[in-house]
Amino acid sequence: MYKFQPILKSLIWGGEKIAPYKQIETEQHNIGESWELSGVEGNESVVANGPEAGTKLPDLLARHGAALLGKANYERFGNEFPLLIKFIDARQDLSIQVHPNDKLAWERHHSKGKTEMWYVVATDPGAHLRSGFSKQVTPEEYEASVENHTITDILADYAIRPGDVFFLPAGRVHAIGAGSFIAEIQQTSNITYRIYDYGRVGADGKPRELHTEQAKGAIDYTVLPDYRTHYTPARDTRVELVSCPYFTTSLFDLTREQTLDLSTLDSFVVVMCLEGHGSLTDDRGETVPVHQGETVLVPASAQLLRFTPEGSMKLLTSWIA
């Protein structure tokens, strides 16, 4: 089982919560994102524990192949890890954006698209986010709303609290709001179309680049009555939150030991510890301690995974079925 060195991103909208949450010391400030597990070119995660410490994720995949990813996943993705796992701390509103689907991303960028999900870990008073349109609009009306600064008026806006979940298929317009601390699971893709940024300027003092026209053809204009993902919380059992072709993510809110049978699962498992601490043990007897803010990659060769909380522990698990 592998832990990785976090890749900390200082961003114009970032806050000061990630380092203390993860229980690490750093001189960095305004850390908006911690890339927990990444195969994105130029941002490859590096193993932090065990005999393979110092190994980059693509090299780890090349070394272990299907034993790490799963047979079907390795045939599908090769040495590119298929998920990008992050913690996000938004001190300010993030830009309104959208991601292309696989077809469009391949045509335009020779890249995969980006479907993602958010699990709300913590919130400040008044924290909110935006997901989807609140009413039916045409591509021309969307474009006009950006030009006349009214786009926020046509997006669904949600007050949020810890435990809220939002699934964001490619094409859905969205924005994380100020005061949100979020765990994000997404396809490995760094293609983002920034639609609107409230007139802010970047570190160079110039307005940040917008991709309003590119986004126009990437947006799914479908309107839904509710964009929040609803689930029934339960203690000491697996609660599935999202299942899609790109990932299946579940929540474990544990007060006692729980064993997850992986014998029929042909996939790696990513475990994000959201609260508390404890340990993970596989069928070979390898035990890895884990605490709040840490992420562990469990190889596909593992046949079972035992979660042992010390007191209580809240985890997200993600795999590709």
Side-chain angles (χ1 to χ4, degrees), residues 40-272:
V40 174
E41 187 175 357
N43 289 276
E44 296 92 346
S45 292
V46 175
V47 177
N49 69 318
E52 294 180 280
T55 305
K56 286 188 174 184
L57 183 55
D59 297 328
L60 196 69
L61 295 177
R63 187 178 300 165
H64 297 288
L68 182 57
L69 272 196
K71 185 175 183 294
N73 288 332
Y74 195 64
E75 289 173 355
R76 182 177 171 190
F77 300 108
N79 294 332
E80 180 183 54
F81 192 73
L83 297 181
L84 175 56
I85 308 295
K86 302 178 183 179
F87 286 112
I88 298 175
D89 173 22
R91 181 176 53 87
Q92 301 175 8
D93 288 346
L94 274 67
S95 60
I96 295 170
Q97 54 190 236
V98 73
H99 309 295
N101 61 24
D102 286 342
K103 182 175 183 294
L104 189 60
W106 190 257
E107 290 172 357
R108 290 181 175 180
H109 311 284
H110 211 63
S111 169
K112 293 180 175 64
K114 190 193 290 190
T115 285
E116 58 190 353
M117 66 162 284
W118 295 329
Y119 178 92
V120 179
V121 177
T123 56
D124 291 342
H128 71 109
L129 55 77
R130 296 182 172 100
S131 177
F133 289 108
S134 58
K135 65 177 184 178
Q136 193 68 56
V137 296
T138 65
E140 292 71 31
E141 288 170 333
Y142 143 78
E143 196 168 28
S145 76
V146 175
E147 292 174 359
N148 62 28
H149 307 284
T150 61
I151 187 166
T152 56
D153 297 339
I154 60 173
L155 297 179
D157 196 316
Y158 291 88
I160 56 172
R161 62 182 184 274
D164 283 350
V165 173
F166 289 82
F167 176 59
L168 303 160
R172 182 166 296 168
V173 177
H174 59 273
I176 297 174
S180 306
F181 192 100
I182 283 171
E184 181 176 86
I185 294 95
Q186 60 164 86
Q187 286 178 269
T188 291
S189 170
N190 211 22
I191 306 298
T192 295
Y193 297 148
R194 188 183 295 124
I195 292 169
Y196 185 73
D197 200 36
Y198 317 100
R200 289 185 296 207
V201 296
D204 59 1
K206 299 178 181 178
R208 297 207 294 169
E209 183 183 4
L210 299 180
H211 313 98
T212 310
E213 182 59 34
Q214 284 179 292
K216 187 177 178 180
I219 291 171
D220 180 353
Y221 294 90
T222 305
V223 176
L224 301 179
D226 187 6
Y227 296 94
R228 196 191 304 265
T229 297
H230 295 277
Y231 67 97
T232 303
R235 283 277 176 91
D236 300 314
T237 189
R238 183 171 81 92
V239 178
E240 188 174 288
L241 303 178
V242 169
S243 182
C244 71
Y246 305 107
F247 50 83
T248 296
T249 298
S250 302
L251 175 67
F252 288 86
D253 187 358
L254 302 178
T255 61
R256 54 184 171 84
E257 191 171 89
Q258 181 84 19
T259 299
L260 187 60
D261 182 0
L262 305 177
S263 60
T264 60
L265 181 68
D266 179 32
S267 176
F268 63 89
V269 180
V270 177
V271 181
M272 303 179 79

